Amino acid sequence: MKPGGDSSMRRGAGASLALLVFFLAAWEWGPEALGIPSFIVPPLSTVGAEFVHAFKFDHLLLHTGVTIGEVLAGFVLGSLLGAFVGYLLGMSPAAELALSPYILALQIAPKVAFAPLFILWMGFTVYPKILVAILIVFFPVMVNVLTALRTIDPDLINLARAFTATRAQIFWKIEFPTSMPPMFAGLRIGATLAVVGVVVGELVGGNVGLGYLLTFGEGQANTPLVFVSIVMLTLVGGIAYLGVILVERRVLHYLPARGIGGNL
Amino acid sequence: MSSFPTSIPIRLEYRNVTMRFADRGGQGALTAVQGVRFAVRDGEVVSLIGPSGCGKSTLLNIGSGLMAPSEGAALVDGAPVAGPNVHVAFMLQKDLLLPWRTVAENAMFGVEIQGVPATERRRRAANLLAQFNLAEFSDHYPHQLSGGMRQRVALARTLAVDPHVLLLDEPFSAVDAQTRMALQRDLAQTLSRAQKTALLITHDLFEAVTLSDRVLVMSRRPGAIIDEIAIDVPGRDDPIGRRADPKVAAYVARLMDRLDIAHAPLERQPAEGDA
């Protein structure tokens, strides 16, 4: 099926693993060898020890859990809203024409800049963080759905019409499934952006979440804790991204197979 | 003239059909087809040939109810076509298969839209796929098939709705020559066996002659019918055998002459399908 096949894939995975080992080793012994003090780049073992410490005494699990919850809520709500508006505008060119300048303006505005405003409105709760995530996830999903509907082959619609399809049938049997691959591309982007939105919200104000832990570590000049927070945030983003890919594989099972890295 | 006597009922009829489109600038109109009239009788296969942009596809869109003519009317079984209806099915050069549906599900697309019960549509799809040697590919997805197989699935989808009239717009022009001949044979056999009425648009003069009972020649835009040739060669269900008949070459020569192909200027033509 694919050129190279199994052996080239195994070689790629092996090289990837070797790179990881090299990176971790460089992290552990590199700073000392280069004379970098540990409050600038703490070695791997120090960060590992801090991880255990944070887990025991700094409620690391709680902070991670809150951030995951906010990311999940923001991602799900933002995706739903983005898809809904995308389909709405896709089916009504008049609405798209009327709303597109405002949508564009809102898209250009840096969404994270809204974080302080939302905190002013809603206080030090989880809601402003979720709202930033919703706003940031909304656009890639909406734009991809809208573009998918705009670029459907008109002959496909005509074929359905010639078979006496109703408007609803055209949507459910053609437009909706056609929009799935681009929508998942939008969801992948949204999954990683949701983490950015939530973290910025937590950095700006609050006393819980990994973003808060990040500023807490910074305030104490606790570089290892900052590293722990960054690693945990990367993990949260990675899990969110992987979750989207797993669902995508089920939904888009009909597409020719491709590797996980093939479409990052 | 035709092998189809007037006692056989008319399935598809174009009555003085004229189609004008608004010009791109918005001023004036572009006449795509002008006063087209012809009738196709039950079980008859008629081909429509003509230069690019002469409005062949426009006629097909009018026949399937996707477009309303500016003047005149298309009639199916004597009733004016007011919109898409279950008696007419069309097939294009593009297979238009849905990538998320299996072969069987794609073949069932039309009958599913028309609300045929699930067991009945599965039965019809299975029958047609078996007929086109696609039974073992029922659960495959379109991307796993060759171009010729995909086009056969499209043909199965068209036939599954059991239409009175088939409208075929260059159905085989996107496949290679050998596959095309096999597809032509399959189509000819199916049309003959099921006694279907068909209007076939094609650029391939041999295809027009070997598949049809009658060939209509259209002029440059504004398209009008300028000639009608009854194909008096036996074996309409066997286009490959028909090809060997010496009369076929004579018909093709006459069509070339009518289309003035030898002297046609090499001008930039609008893409077929635009018209």
Side-chain angles (χ1 to χ4, degrees), chain A residues 128-187:
Chain A
K129 290 94 176 176
I130 294 173
L131 201 56
V132 177
I134 290 175
L135 208 58
I136 211 167
V137 170
F138 173 82
F139 287 98
V141 177
M142 185 213 69
V143 168
N144 279 24
V145 167
L146 182 58
T147 313
L149 294 195
R150 284 274 160 278
T151 52
I152 288 182
D153 184 349
D155 282 334
L156 211 50
I157 306 285
N158 277 341
L159 177 78
R161 280 180 58 212
F163 280 134
T164 69
T166 59
R167 187 69 192 82
Q169 281 178 321
I170 289 175
F171 178 75
W172 288 112
K173 291 186 193 295
I174 300 211
E175 291 176 325
F176 182 70
T178 303
S179 71
M180 280 293 116
M183 177 153 108
F184 270 101
L187 290 178

Side-chain angles (χ1 to χ4, degrees), chain A residues 60-218:
Chain A
L60 179 61
L61 219 55
L62 171 75
H63 292 298
T64 309
V66 168
T67 299
I68 288 176
E70 289 164 349
V71 167
L72 208 65
F75 175 68
V76 169
L77 293 175
S79 308
L80 286 176
L81 198 67
F84 180 74
V85 174
Y87 289 123
L88 215 64
L89 296 186
M91 286 190 286
S92 164
E96 192 198 348
L97 210 65
L99 294 176
S100 60
Y102 308 104
I103 289 170
L104 190 68
L106 206 57
Q107 189 174 8
I108 291 167
K111 262 70 66 185
V112 291
F114 287 86
L117 182 68
F118 293 158
I119 285 175
L120 280 174
W121 288 350
M122 287 174 271
F124 288 174
T125 59
V126 293
Y127 303 113
K129 290 94 176 176
I130 294 173
L131 201 56
V132 177
I134 290 175
L135 208 58
I136 211 167
V137 170
F138 173 82
F139 287 98
V141 177
M142 185 213 69
V143 168
N144 279 24
V145 167
L146 182 58
T147 313
L149 294 195
R150 284 274 160 278
T151 52
I152 288 182
D153 184 349
D155 282 334
L156 211 50
I157 306 285
N158 277 341
L159 177 78
R161 280 180 58 212
F163 280 134
T164 69
T166 59
R167 187 69 192 82
Q169 281 178 321
I170 289 175
F171 178 75
W172 288 112
K173 291 186 193 295
I174 300 211
E175 291 176 325
F176 182 70
T178 303
S179 71
M180 280 293 116
M183 177 153 108
F184 270 101
L187 290 178
R188 285 180 182 211
I189 300 168
T192 50
L193 287 182
V195 182
V196 175
V198 164
V199 171
V200 171
E202 289 174 346
L203 287 173
V204 173
N207 49 20
V208 69
L210 288 170
Y212 162 75
L213 204 62
L214 207 56
T215 48
F216 177 74
E218 181 205 358

